Amino acid sequence: MPKSSKLSILATVSAVCLGLALSLSAGSAEAASKCIKGDRKAPFTLGWANIYSVPTWMKQTQGTIEQEVDELKKQGLVSKLVVTDAQGNANTQIQQIQSMIDSNIDAILVDAGSATALNRVIADACAKGIAVINFDSLIDGEDLTAKIDTDQQEWGKQAAEWMVSTLGGKGNIIVLNGPAGISVSDDRRKGAEPVLKAHPDIKILAETNTAYNVAPAQEAVTNLLFNNPQIDGVLSFGGALSAGALLAMDRQGRDFVPITGENYRQFLELWKQHDLKGWATMQPNWLGALAAYAAVQALSGKDVPAFVKVPLPVIDNASLGGYLDRASTFPADGYIYSTYDQALFEKLLAQK
């Protein structure tokens, strides 16, 4: 064989090997995150599988998703956002997610209406290479690209510790939870349990579960007040629940007592107005925006952690004013959340 032919063959073989190596390298990078197969290209179509759109928290959350998607569109990474509303029905949410899978959507963002009911359809999405980002109310399964949340049990633990400390380890309290069966509500309550058990002189007079809305919480607490003349504290695991409790107490002319909650604007304003002893933290609405950003990062070949932990800030009497200074930029029935940007998201996704 002529020398020139040998060189040509060697060059061809080398080129093929180099191409194969690059291909394997690219394929490996693109498959860095769970569920991702590396076969989807930008601009991506995202789906927001909303469990229900009525609560203000969910409306604000959708707003952060839409704002982030607009930014990702400018960057050429997203083409479309599909939004569904299951109206609080987990079975409807399953059907809507199945429709997204059937349409071969690139990513699904989901705030789950049930910790277990969605597992089959979520696993199906993951198997088909769809990025699935679950935030806030979590699924009790692992067939996901990532879960994003604050530590809900730590949330409950800190609230209970503050209440115990504020009451000096002794007193009668009522406990306000969100809807039963929702992981956010159940986990906050679980986090509080060891603290309450360790302090038997903190007596739970009554406990209730209601939707995260002021009106049903006010009605529920009104009934509890009629049946419990001596209440020393309200251990609430939701901001709208806390506002409802304070409105119920005010309507009955009851003395205000130490109360926990979260960054719901009306609660913070009533807290300031009545100069209460209070404690709160925050489930940032921008978890939705972070979910959209994480989905695009995963689809683009980045290694997104299986669990992204978002820190819990503390709102107390010292920091309350700082939140209320920004109140006018949020809805009257909304949540005053902290600022966010893609630099913050990069930092959170870089956690190991």
Side-chain angles (χ1 to χ4, degrees):
M1 183 179 292
K3 186 176 181 181
S4 59
S5 297
K6 288 183 178 178
L7 290 174
S8 175
I9 291 173
L10 286 173
T12 301
V13 171
S14 297
V16 169
C17 291
L18 177 60
L20 180 60
L22 289 173
S23 174
L24 289 172
S25 176
S28 176
E30 289 175 354
S33 300
K34 192 166 183 180
C35 306
I36 306 302
K37 299 180 184 295
D39 56 347
R40 297 173 183 273
K41 305 300 178 186
F44 305 110
T45 298
L46 309 187
W48 161 223
N50 193 354
I51 179 59
Y52 50 173
S53 62
V54 173
T56 307
W57 193 91
M58 301 301 287
K59 292 176 182 173
Q60 289 182 274
T61 296
Q62 183 166 323
T64 71
I65 293 172
E66 292 170 342
Q67 185 178 32
E68 181 61 26
V69 164
D70 286 344
E71 180 59 33
L72 292 166
K73 283 181 177 178
K74 293 176 186 174
Q75 298 172 15
L77 295 171
V78 170
S79 60
K80 184 180 178 182
L81 174 67
V82 176
V83 179
T84 58
D85 177 4
Q87 300 182 354
N89 188 314
N91 288 327
T92 301
Q93 190 174 34
I94 291 170
Q95 294 168 7
Q96 292 171 336
I97 291 173
Q98 186 61 58
S99 294
M100 290 183 182
I101 296 170
D102 293 342
S103 68
N104 197 30
I105 205 164
D106 295 309
I108 298 173
L109 321 178
V110 57
D111 195 331
S114 165
T116 56
L118 276 62
N119 278 348
R120 182 199 60 76
V121 73
I122 291 296
D124 188 25
C126 181
K128 288 181 168 59
I130 297 171
V132 186
I133 310 294
N134 177 206
F135 68 94
D136 183 47
S137 185
L138 300 182
I139 294 164
D140 187 15
E142 303 301 325
D143 291 319
L144 298 147
T145 304
K147 296 179 182 180
I148 298 175
D149 209 1
T150 56
D151 187 332
Q152 302 297 337
Q153 293 199 27
E154 180 65 21
W155 201 113
K157 174 177 175 289
Q158 290 187 25
E161 287 176 342
W162 179 87
M163 182 60 67
V164 168
S165 175
T166 302
L167 296 183
K170 183 177 182 181
N172 299 326
I173 66 171
I174 59 174
V175 178
L176 309 181
N177 300 300
I182 300 295
S183 67
V184 168
S185 174
D186 293 347
D187 285 346
R188 289 175 185 175
R189 185 62 182 84
K190 286 178 186 174
E193 185 63 18
V195 180
L196 296 172
K197 278 190 173 179
H199 297 85
D201 289 334
I202 297 291
K203 183 180 179 183
I204 300 175
L205 299 175
E207 183 163 1
T208 188
N209 292 80
T210 69
Y212 288 118
N213 281 321
V214 174
Q218 183 176 353
E219 181 180 353
V221 174
T222 295
N223 292 330
L224 297 180
L225 294 177
F226 278 127
N227 296 322
N228 296 284
Q230 180 59 49
I231 296 174
D232 301 310
V234 177
L235 183 58
S236 166
F237 299 113
L241 308 181
S242 308
L246 292 175
L247 292 173
M249 298 174 80
D250 195 27
R251 178 168 290 183
Q252 289 196 21
R254 297 282 290 262
D255 291 337
F256 293 110
V257 296
I259 184 170
T260 62
E262 58 184 340
N263 57 319
Y264 186 69
R265 177 177 169 180
Q266 188 178 16
F267 169 52
L268 300 187
E269 290 176 335
L270 288 167
W271 173 354
K272 177 71 173 179
Q273 176 186 344
H274 296 292
D275 192 24
L276 307 177
K277 289 182 179 178
W279 178 96
T281 186
M282 178 192 339
Q283 180 79 339
N285 296 85
W286 49 256
L287 294 184
L290 175 55
Y293 184 79
V296 170
Q297 294 303 300
L299 288 165
S300 300
K302 302 288 180 60
D303 185 7
V304 173
F307 182 78
V308 181
K309 184 177 179 180
V310 176
L312 283 169
V314 172
I315 307 171
D316 55 17
N317 287 69
S319 61
L320 177 63
Y323 282 83
L324 290 175
D325 287 344
R326 298 186 294 116
S328 61
T329 61
F330 293 86
D333 62 343
Y335 292 76
I336 304 174
Y337 52 82
S338 55
T339 58
Y340 65 95
D341 55 24
Q342 290 188 351
L344 172 63
F345 294 167
E346 286 287 348
K347 183 177 179 181
L348 291 171
L349 294 181
Q351 296 177 96
K352 299 296 181 186

